[in-house]
PDB file of all heavy atoms in Angstrom:
ATOM      1  N   TYR A   1     -31.302 -22.383 -46.411  1.00 73.00           N
ATOM      2  CA  TYR A   1     -32.539 -21.717 -46.783  1.00 73.00           C
ATOM      3  C   TYR A   1     -33.746 -22.215 -46.006  1.00 73.00           C
ATOM      4  O   TYR A   1     -34.855 -21.768 -46.245  1.00 73.00           O
ATOM      5  CB  TYR A   1     -32.797 -21.883 -48.285  1.00 73.00           C
ATOM      6  CG  TYR A   1     -31.821 -21.086 -49.095  1.00 73.00           C
ATOM      7  CD1 TYR A   1     -30.614 -21.635 -49.498  1.00 73.00           C
ATOM      8  CD2 TYR A   1     -32.096 -19.772 -49.424  1.00 73.00           C
ATOM      9  CE1 TYR A   1     -29.706 -20.891 -50.221  1.00 73.00           C
ATOM     10  CE2 TYR A   1     -31.194 -19.020 -50.143  1.00 73.00           C
ATOM     11  CZ  TYR A   1     -30.008 -19.592 -50.544  1.00 73.00           C
ATOM     12  OH  TYR A   1     -29.110 -18.847 -51.253  1.00 73.00           O
ATOM     13  N   LEU A   2     -33.548 -23.150 -45.110  1.00 73.00           N
ATOM     14  CA  LEU A   2     -34.659 -23.697 -44.341  1.00 73.00           C
ATOM     15  C   LEU A   2     -34.725 -23.021 -42.977  1.00 73.00           C
ATOM     16  O   LEU A   2     -33.715 -22.862 -42.308  1.00 73.00           O
ATOM     17  CB  LEU A   2     -34.493 -25.214 -44.175  1.00 73.00           C
ATOM     18  CG  LEU A   2     -34.443 -25.981 -45.488  1.00 73.00           C
ATOM     19  CD1 LEU A   2     -34.218 -27.459 -45.205  1.00 73.00           C
ATOM     20  CD2 LEU A   2     -35.712 -25.778 -46.282  1.00 73.00           C
ATOM     21  N   HIS A   3     -35.904 -22.661 -42.572  1.00 70.00           N
ATOM     22  CA  HIS A   3     -36.102 -21.956 -41.308  1.00 70.00           C
ATOM     23  C   HIS A   3     -37.304 -22.528 -40.577  1.00 70.00           C
ATOM     24  O   HIS A   3     -38.270 -22.974 -41.197  1.00 70.00           O
ATOM     25  CB  HIS A   3     -36.335 -20.455 -41.566  1.00 70.00           C
ATOM     26  CG  HIS A   3     -35.235 -19.833 -42.346  1.00 70.00           C
ATOM     27  ND1 HIS A   3     -34.053 -19.441 -41.769  1.00 70.00           N
ATOM     28  CD2 HIS A   3     -35.106 -19.582 -43.669  1.00 70.00           C
ATOM     29  CE1 HIS A   3     -33.257 -18.951 -42.698  1.00 70.00           C
ATOM     30  NE2 HIS A   3     -33.875 -19.021 -43.861  1.00 70.00           N
ATOM     31  N   ALA A   4     -37.229 -22.495 -39.270  1.00 66.00           N
ATOM     32  CA  ALA A   4     -38.376 -22.925 -38.466  1.00 66.00           C
ATOM     33  C   ALA A   4     -39.496 -21.900 -38.629  1.00 66.00           C
ATOM     34  O   ALA A   4     -39.256 -20.709 -38.768  1.00 66.00           O
ATOM     35  CB  ALA A   4     -37.979 -23.035 -37.005  1.00 66.00           C
ATOM     36  N   VAL A   5     -40.711 -22.383 -38.616  1.00 64.00           N
ATOM     37  CA  VAL A   5     -41.878 -21.525 -38.786  1.00 64.00           C
ATOM     38  C   VAL A   5     -42.728 -21.621 -37.520  1.00 64.00           C
ATOM     39  O   VAL A   5     -42.989 -22.713 -37.027  1.00 64.00           O
ATOM     40  CB  VAL A   5     -42.702 -21.963 -40.019  1.00 64.00           C
ATOM     41  CG1 VAL A   5     -43.968 -21.146 -40.143  1.00 64.00           C
ATOM     42  CG2 VAL A   5     -41.859 -21.863 -41.274  1.00 64.00           C
ATOM     43  N   ASP A   6     -43.141 -20.472 -36.997  1.00 68.00           N
ATOM     44  CA  ASP A   6     -43.996 -20.461 -35.808  1.00 68.00           C
ATOM     45  C   ASP A   6     -45.225 -21.327 -36.040  1.00 68.00           C
ATOM     46  O   ASP A   6     -45.852 -21.267 -37.090  1.00 68.00           O
ATOM     47  CB  ASP A   6     -44.447 -19.037 -35.474  1.00 68.00           C
ATOM     48  CG  ASP A   6     -43.313 -18.183 -34.941  1.00 68.00           C
ATOM     49  OD1 ASP A   6     -42.304 -18.748 -34.484  1.00 68.00           O
ATOM     50  OD2 ASP A   6     -43.454 -16.948 -34.984  1.00 68.00           O
ATOM     51  N   GLY A   7     -45.559 -22.138 -35.057  1.00 69.00           N
ATOM     52  CA  GLY A   7     -46.749 -22.961 -35.130  1.00 69.00           C
ATOM     53  C   GLY A   7     -46.506 -24.350 -35.695  1.00 69.00           C
ATOM     54  O   GLY A   7     -47.343 -25.234 -35.558  1.00 69.00           O
ATOM     55  N   ARG A   8     -45.379 -24.556 -36.356  1.00 69.00           N
ATOM     56  CA  ARG A   8     -45.112 -25.873 -36.952  1.00 69.00           C
ATOM     57  C   ARG A   8     -44.950 -26.942 -35.885  1.00 69.00           C
ATOM     58  O   ARG A   8     -45.309 -28.093 -36.100  1.00 69.00           O
ATOM     59  CB  ARG A   8     -43.849 -25.833 -37.820  1.00 69.00           C
ATOM     60  CG  ARG A   8     -44.061 -25.210 -39.157  1.00 69.00           C
ATOM     61  CD  ARG A   8     -44.908 -26.048 -40.081  1.00 69.00           C
ATOM     62  NE  ARG A   8     -44.178 -27.253 -40.473  1.00 69.00           N
ATOM     63  CZ  ARG A   8     -44.754 -28.345 -40.912  1.00 69.00           C
ATOM     64  NH1 ARG A   8     -46.057 -28.418 -41.029  1.00 69.00           N
ATOM     65  NH2 ARG A   8     -44.060 -29.403 -41.247  1.00 69.00           N
ATOM     66  N   ASP A   9     -44.412 -26.589 -34.720  1.00 69.00           N
ATOM     67  CA  ASP A   9     -44.227 -27.589 -33.667  1.00 69.00           C
ATOM     68  C   ASP A   9     -45.564 -28.203 -33.282  1.00 69.00           C
ATOM     69  O   ASP A   9     -45.679 -29.413 -33.109  1.00 69.00           O
ATOM     70  CB  ASP A   9     -43.532 -26.961 -32.454  1.00 69.00           C
ATOM     71  CG  ASP A   9     -43.127 -28.006 -31.442  1.00 69.00           C
ATOM     72  OD1 ASP A   9     -42.576 -29.052 -31.846  1.00 69.00           O
ATOM     73  OD2 ASP A   9     -43.368 -27.781 -30.244  1.00 69.00           O
ATOM     74  N   ARG A  10     -46.606 -27.373 -33.183  1.00 76.00           N
ATOM     75  CA  ARG A  10     -47.945 -27.888 -32.865  1.00 76.00           C
ATOM     76  C   ARG A  10     -48.465 -28.787 -33.984  1.00 76.00           C
ATOM     77  O   ARG A  10     -49.074 -29.819 -33.736  1.00 76.00           O
ATOM     78  CB  ARG A  10     -48.913 -26.731 -32.615  1.00 76.00           C
ATOM     79  CG  ARG A  10     -48.703 -26.051 -31.253  1.00 76.00           C
ATOM     80  CD  ARG A  10     -49.774 -24.996 -30.989  1.00 76.00           C
ATOM     81  NE  ARG A  10     -49.720 -23.893 -31.933  1.00 76.00           N
ATOM     82  CZ  ARG A  10     -48.886 -22.849 -31.834  1.00 76.00           C
ATOM     83  NH1 ARG A  10     -48.045 -22.780 -30.818  1.00 76.00           N
ATOM     84  NH2 ARG A  10     -48.906 -21.894 -32.725  1.00 76.00           N
ATOM     85  N   GLU A  11     -48.224 -28.391 -35.231  1.00 75.00           N
ATOM     86  CA  GLU A  11     -48.653 -29.211 -36.360  1.00 75.00           C
ATOM     87  C   GLU A  11     -47.941 -30.558 -36.357  1.00 75.00           C
ATOM     88  O   GLU A  11     -48.554 -31.594 -36.645  1.00 75.00           O
ATOM     89  CB  GLU A  11     -48.378 -28.481 -37.675  1.00 75.00           C
ATOM     90  CG  GLU A  11     -49.252 -27.267 -37.899  1.00 75.00           C
ATOM     91  CD  GLU A  11     -48.870 -26.524 -39.164  1.00 75.00           C
ATOM     92  OE1 GLU A  11     -48.308 -27.150 -40.093  1.00 75.00           O
ATOM     93  OE2 GLU A  11     -49.133 -25.317 -39.230  1.00 75.00           O
ATOM     94  N   ILE A  12     -46.655 -30.548 -36.043  1.00 70.00           N
ATOM     95  CA  ILE A  12     -45.882 -31.791 -35.993  1.00 70.00           C
ATOM     96  C   ILE A  12     -46.405 -32.684 -34.879  1.00 70.00           C
ATOM     97  O   ILE A  12     -46.595 -33.895 -35.071  1.00 70.00           O
ATOM     98  CB  ILE A  12     -44.380 -31.485 -35.820  1.00 70.00           C
ATOM     99  CG1 ILE A  12     -43.839 -30.798 -37.084  1.00 70.00           C
ATOM    100  CG2 ILE A  12     -43.586 -32.758 -35.512  1.00 70.00           C
ATOM    101  CD1 ILE A  12     -42.476 -30.166 -36.910  1.00 70.00           C
ATOM    102  N   ALA A  13     -46.673 -32.103 -33.713  1.00 75.00           N
ATOM    103  CA  ALA A  13     -47.202 -32.885 -32.595  1.00 75.00           C
ATOM    104  C   ALA A  13     -48.551 -33.498 -32.956  1.00 75.00           C
ATOM    105  O   ALA A  13     -48.815 -34.664 -32.646  1.00 75.00           O
ATOM    106  CB  ALA A  13     -47.333 -32.003 -31.347  1.00 75.00           C
ATOM    107  N   LYS A  14     -49.406 -32.737 -33.626  1.00 77.00           N
ATOM    108  CA  LYS A  14     -50.714 -33.263 -34.042  1.00 77.00           C
ATOM    109  C   LYS A  14     -50.544 -34.416 -35.028  1.00 77.00           C
ATOM    110  O   LYS A  14     -51.220 -35.441 -34.936  1.00 77.00           O
ATOM    111  CB  LYS A  14     -51.556 -32.155 -34.662  1.00 77.00           C
ATOM    112  CG  LYS A  14     -52.930 -32.629 -35.075  1.00 77.00           C
ATOM    113  CD  LYS A  14     -53.748 -31.511 -35.687  1.00 77.00           C
ATOM    114  CE  LYS A  14     -55.090 -32.070 -36.139  1.00 77.00           C
ATOM    115  NZ  LYS A  14     -55.818 -31.167 -36.990  1.00 77.00           N
ATOM    116  N   ALA A  15     -49.618 -34.256 -35.982  1.00 72.00           N
ATOM    117  CA  ALA A  15     -49.379 -35.315 -36.967  1.00 72.00           C
ATOM    118  C   ALA A  15     -48.843 -36.570 -36.287  1.00 72.00           C
ATOM    119  O   ALA A  15     -49.227 -37.689 -36.642  1.00 72.00           O
ATOM    120  CB  ALA A  15     -48.404 -34.828 -38.038  1.00 72.00           C
ATOM    121  N   LEU A  16     -47.990 -36.410 -35.265  1.00 71.00           N
ATOM    122  CA  LEU A  16     -47.483 -37.564 -34.511  1.00 71.00           C
ATOM    123  C   LEU A  16     -48.614 -38.250 -33.758  1.00 71.00           C
ATOM    124  O   LEU A  16     -48.681 -39.481 -33.692  1.00 71.00           O
ATOM    125  CB  LEU A  16     -46.370 -37.132 -33.548  1.00 71.00           C
ATOM    126  CG  LEU A  16     -45.052 -36.741 -34.206  1.00 71.00           C
ATOM    127  CD1 LEU A  16     -44.136 -36.092 -33.187  1.00 71.00           C
ATOM    128  CD2 LEU A  16     -44.396 -37.945 -34.858  1.00 71.00           C
ATOM    129  N   TRP A  17     -49.518 -37.446 -33.179  1.00 73.00           N
ATOM    130  CA  TRP A  17     -50.672 -38.010 -32.483  1.00 73.00           C
ATOM    131  C   TRP A  17     -51.536 -38.820 -33.454  1.00 73.00           C
ATOM    132  O   TRP A  17     -51.965 -39.919 -33.153  1.00 73.00           O
ATOM    133  CB  TRP A  17     -51.493 -36.891 -31.836  1.00 73.00           C
ATOM    134  CG  TRP A  17     -52.793 -37.395 -31.292  1.00 73.00           C
ATOM    135  CD1 TRP A  17     -53.000 -38.055 -30.107  1.00 73.00           C
ATOM    136  CD2 TRP A  17     -54.073 -37.324 -31.934  1.00 73.00           C
ATOM    137  NE1 TRP A  17     -54.329 -38.384 -29.979  1.00 73.00           N
ATOM    138  CE2 TRP A  17     -55.009 -37.951 -31.090  1.00 73.00           C
ATOM    139  CE3 TRP A  17     -54.509 -36.792 -33.136  1.00 73.00           C
ATOM    140  CZ2 TRP A  17     -56.350 -38.044 -31.401  1.00 73.00           C
ATOM    141  CZ3 TRP A  17     -55.845 -36.888 -33.460  1.00 73.00           C
ATOM    142  CH2 TRP A  17     -56.757 -37.519 -32.588  1.00 73.00           C
ATOM    143  N   GLU A  18     -51.805 -38.252 -34.650  1.00 75.00           N
ATOM    144  CA  GLU A  18     -52.619 -38.953 -35.639  1.00 75.00           C
ATOM    145  C   GLU A  18     -51.953 -40.254 -36.082  1.00 75.00           C
ATOM    146  O   GLU A  18     -52.609 -41.279 -36.241  1.00 75.00           O
ATOM    147  CB  GLU A  18     -52.885 -38.048 -36.842  1.00 75.00           C
ATOM    148  CG  GLU A  18     -53.845 -36.924 -36.520  1.00 75.00           C
ATOM    149  CD  GLU A  18     -53.988 -35.932 -37.665  1.00 75.00           C
ATOM    150  OE1 GLU A  18     -53.358 -36.123 -38.731  1.00 75.00           O
ATOM    151  OE2 GLU A  18     -54.733 -34.956 -37.487  1.00 75.00           O
ATOM    152  N   LEU A  19     -50.652 -40.215 -36.236  1.00 70.00           N
ATOM    153  CA  LEU A  19     -49.914 -41.417 -36.614  1.00 70.00           C
ATOM    154  C   LEU A  19     -50.037 -42.483 -35.530  1.00 70.00           C
ATOM    155  O   LEU A  19     -50.310 -43.647 -35.817  1.00 70.00           O
ATOM    156  CB  LEU A  19     -48.441 -41.066 -36.857  1.00 70.00           C
ATOM    157  CG  LEU A  19     -47.538 -42.177 -37.348  1.00 70.00           C
ATOM    158  CD1 LEU A  19     -47.983 -42.676 -38.710  1.00 70.00           C
ATOM    159  CD2 LEU A  19     -46.105 -41.671 -37.420  1.00 70.00           C
ATOM    160  N   ALA A  20     -49.873 -42.068 -34.286  1.00 69.00           N
ATOM    161  CA  ALA A  20     -49.980 -43.015 -33.166  1.00 69.00           C
ATOM    162  C   ALA A  20     -51.404 -43.529 -33.013  1.00 69.00           C
ATOM    163  O   ALA A  20     -51.627 -44.710 -32.768  1.00 69.00           O
ATOM    164  CB  ALA A  20     -49.516 -42.352 -31.874  1.00 69.00           C
ATOM    165  N   ALA A  21     -52.387 -42.654 -33.161  1.00 74.00           N
ATOM    166  CA  ALA A  21     -53.782 -43.032 -32.966  1.00 74.00           C
ATOM    167  C   ALA A  21     -54.263 -44.017 -34.027  1.00 74.00           C
ATOM    168  O   ALA A  21     -55.077 -44.884 -33.743  1.00 74.00           O
ATOM    169  CB  ALA A  21     -54.668 -41.783 -32.975  1.00 74.00           C
ATOM    170  N   HIS A  22     -53.775 -43.867 -35.219  1.00 70.00           N
ATOM    171  CA  HIS A  22     -54.261 -44.705 -36.315  1.00 70.00           C
ATOM    172  C   HIS A  22     -53.318 -45.848 -36.647  1.00 70.00           C
ATOM    173  O   HIS A  22     -53.670 -46.708 -37.455  1.00 70.00           O
ATOM    174  CB  HIS A  22     -54.518 -43.852 -37.555  1.00 70.00           C
ATOM    175  CG  HIS A  22     -55.533 -42.780 -37.300  1.00 70.00           C
ATOM    176  ND1 HIS A  22     -56.867 -43.050 -37.064  1.00 70.00           N
ATOM    177  CD2 HIS A  22     -55.399 -41.446 -37.207  1.00 70.00           C
ATOM    178  CE1 HIS A  22     -57.502 -41.914 -36.854  1.00 70.00           C
ATOM    179  NE2 HIS A  22     -56.640 -40.931 -36.927  1.00 70.00           N
ATOM    180  N   GLY A  23     -52.130 -45.850 -36.057  1.00 65.00           N
ATOM    181  CA  GLY A  23     -51.181 -46.936 -36.285  1.00 65.00           C
ATOM    182  C   GLY A  23     -50.862 -47.163 -37.748  1.00 65.00           C
ATOM    183  O   GLY A  23     -50.744 -48.295 -38.194  1.00 65.00           O
ATOM    184  N   ASP A  24     -50.740 -46.108 -38.503  1.00 59.00           N
ATOM    185  CA  ASP A  24     -50.497 -46.205 -39.933  1.00 59.00           C
ATOM    186  C   ASP A  24     -49.017 -46.461 -40.192  1.00 59.00           C
ATOM    187  O   ASP A  24     -48.237 -45.552 -40.427  1.00 59.00           O
ATOM    188  CB  ASP A  24     -50.955 -44.912 -40.621  1.00 59.00           C
ATOM    189  CG  ASP A  24     -50.934 -45.023 -42.135  1.00 59.00           C
ATOM    190  OD1 ASP A  24     -50.449 -46.048 -42.658  1.00 59.00           O
ATOM    191  OD2 ASP A  24     -51.409 -44.076 -42.788  1.00 59.00           O
ATOM    192  N   VAL A  25     -48.639 -47.723 -40.176  1.00 56.00           N
ATOM    193  CA  VAL A  25     -47.243 -48.114 -40.326  1.00 56.00           C
ATOM    194  C   VAL A  25     -46.684 -47.685 -41.679  1.00 56.00           C
ATOM    195  O   VAL A  25     -45.508 -47.376 -41.799  1.00 56.00           O
ATOM    196  CB  VAL A  25     -47.095 -49.654 -40.143  1.00 56.00           C
ATOM    197  CG1 VAL A  25     -45.676 -50.094 -40.370  1.00 56.00           C
ATOM    198  CG2 VAL A  25     -47.565 -50.047 -38.754  1.00 56.00           C
ATOM    199  N   ALA A  26     -47.523 -47.614 -42.687  1.00 60.00           N
ATOM    200  CA  ALA A  26     -47.053 -47.249 -44.019  1.00 60.00           C
ATOM    201  C   ALA A  26     -46.476 -45.834 -44.049  1.00 60.00           C
ATOM    202  O   ALA A  26     -45.664 -45.512 -44.908  1.00 60.00           O
ATOM    203  CB  ALA A  26     -48.197 -47.368 -45.023  1.00 60.00           C
ATOM    204  N   ARG A  27     -46.884 -44.992 -43.107  1.00 55.00           N
ATOM    205  CA  ARG A  27     -46.397 -43.617 -43.088  1.00 55.00           C
ATOM    206  C   ARG A  27     -45.112 -43.469 -42.284  1.00 55.00           C
ATOM    207  O   ARG A  27     -44.536 -42.387 -42.248  1.00 55.00           O
ATOM    208  CB  ARG A  27     -47.469 -42.698 -42.518  1.00 55.00           C
ATOM    209  CG  ARG A  27     -48.659 -42.581 -43.458  1.00 55.00           C
ATOM    210  CD  ARG A  27     -49.777 -41.765 -42.888  1.00 55.00           C
ATOM    211  NE  ARG A  27     -49.347 -40.468 -42.421  1.00 55.00           N
ATOM    212  CZ  ARG A  27     -50.055 -39.704 -41.592  1.00 55.00           C
ATOM    213  NH1 ARG A  27     -51.215 -40.124 -41.153  1.00 55.00           N
ATOM    214  NH2 ARG A  27     -49.603 -38.540 -41.202  1.00 55.00           N
ATOM    215  N   LEU A  28     -44.644 -44.525 -41.647  1.00 55.00           N
ATOM    216  CA  LEU A  28     -43.410 -44.456 -40.881  1.00 55.00           C
ATOM    217  C   LEU A  28     -42.200 -44.634 -41.795  1.00 55.00           C
ATOM    218  O   LEU A  28     -42.291 -45.274 -42.835  1.00 55.00           O
ATOM    219  CB  LEU A  28     -43.389 -45.549 -39.807  1.00 55.00           C
ATOM    220  CG  LEU A  28     -44.394 -45.394 -38.671  1.00 55.00           C
ATOM    221  CD1 LEU A  28     -44.371 -46.639 -37.792  1.00 55.00           C
ATOM    222  CD2 LEU A  28     -44.091 -44.160 -37.850  1.00 55.00           C
ATOM    223  N   PRO A  29     -41.046 -44.085 -41.404  1.00 56.00           N
ATOM    224  CA  PRO A  29     -39.831 -44.315 -42.189  1.00 56.00           C
ATOM    225  C   PRO A  29     -39.542 -45.819 -42.285  1.00 56.00           C
ATOM    226  O   PRO A  29     -39.879 -46.584 -41.382  1.00 56.00           O
ATOM    227  CB  PRO A  29     -38.747 -43.610 -41.373  1.00 56.00           C
ATOM    228  CG  PRO A  29     -39.476 -42.601 -40.555  1.00 56.00           C
ATOM    229  CD  PRO A  29     -40.821 -43.210 -40.271  1.00 56.00           C
ATOM    230  N   ARG A  30     -38.916 -46.238 -43.358  1.00 53.00           N
ATOM    231  CA  ARG A  30     -38.676 -47.657 -43.608  1.00 53.00           C
ATOM    232  C   ARG A  30     -37.830 -48.337 -42.537  1.00 53.00           C
ATOM    233  O   ARG A  30     -37.940 -49.526 -42.334  1.00 53.00           O
ATOM    234  CB  ARG A  30     -37.989 -47.830 -44.959  1.00 53.00           C
ATOM    235  CG  ARG A  30     -38.910 -47.502 -46.090  1.00 53.00           C
ATOM    236  CD  ARG A  30     -38.235 -47.756 -47.410  1.00 53.00           C
ATOM    237  NE  ARG A  30     -39.073 -47.195 -48.456  1.00 53.00           N
ATOM    238  CZ  ARG A  30     -38.619 -46.788 -49.603  1.00 53.00           C
ATOM    239  NH1 ARG A  30     -37.376 -46.896 -49.895  1.00 53.00           N
ATOM    240  NH2 ARG A  30     -39.446 -46.269 -50.486  1.00 53.00           N
ATOM    241  N   HIS A  31     -36.951 -47.586 -41.881  1.00 53.00           N
ATOM    242  CA  HIS A  31     -36.054 -48.216 -40.914  1.00 53.00           C
ATOM    243  C   HIS A  31     -36.714 -48.471 -39.561  1.00 53.00           C
ATOM    244  O   HIS A  31     -36.113 -49.050 -38.685  1.00 53.00           O
ATOM    245  CB  HIS A  31     -34.766 -47.399 -40.750  1.00 53.00           C
ATOM    246  CG  HIS A  31     -35.006 -46.049 -40.150  1.00 53.00           C
ATOM    247  ND1 HIS A  31     -35.376 -44.977 -40.916  1.00 53.00           N
ATOM    248  CD2 HIS A  31     -34.933 -45.612 -38.877  1.00 53.00           C
ATOM    249  CE1 HIS A  31     -35.523 -43.927 -40.121  1.00 53.00           C
ATOM    250  NE2 HIS A  31     -35.263 -44.273 -38.904  1.00 53.00           N
ATOM    251  N   ILE A  32     -37.974 -48.066 -39.382  1.00 47.00           N
ATOM    252  CA  ILE A  32     -38.682 -48.311 -38.131  1.00 47.00           C
ATOM    253  C   ILE A  32     -39.576 -49.539 -38.319  1.00 47.00           C
ATOM    254  O   ILE A  32     -40.329 -49.630 -39.279  1.00 47.00           O
ATOM    255  CB  ILE A  32     -39.557 -47.102 -37.725  1.00 47.00           C
ATOM    256  CG1 ILE A  32     -38.655 -45.911 -37.419  1.00 47.00           C
ATOM    257  CG2 ILE A  32     -40.440 -47.441 -36.538  1.00 47.00           C
ATOM    258  CD1 ILE A  32     -39.406 -44.640 -37.092  1.00 47.00           C
ATOM    259  N   THR A  33     -39.484 -50.463 -37.400  1.00 46.00           N
ATOM    260  CA  THR A  33     -40.315 -51.673 -37.466  1.00 46.00           C
ATOM    261  C   THR A  33     -41.295 -51.635 -36.315  1.00 46.00           C
ATOM    262  O   THR A  33     -40.907 -51.444 -35.154  1.00 46.00           O
ATOM    263  CB  THR A  33     -39.453 -52.945 -37.366  1.00 46.00           C
ATOM    264  OG1 THR A  33     -38.460 -52.882 -38.388  1.00 46.00           O
ATOM    265  CG2 THR A  33     -40.295 -54.176 -37.537  1.00 46.00           C
TER     266      THR A  33
END
């Protein structure tokens, strides 16, 4: 029932940029150090 949605790739890239820019380790999965 899950489908890709147009435009989500850009949203994901932006969220990754924000994560990298702010270094918010708490938002990373637990298995990443």
Side-chain angles (χ1 to χ4, degrees):
Y1 290 90
L2 300 178
H3 304 280
V5 176
D6 289 340
R8 282 290 291 158
D9 189 45
R10 285 186 296 278
E11 291 176 26
I12 293 166
K14 182 180 177 193
L16 289 169
W17 171 80
E18 289 173 1
L19 184 63
H22 300 292
D24 189 353
V25 177
R27 291 176 52 197
L28 292 173
R30 291 183 190 153
H31 65 275
I32 295 176
T33 305

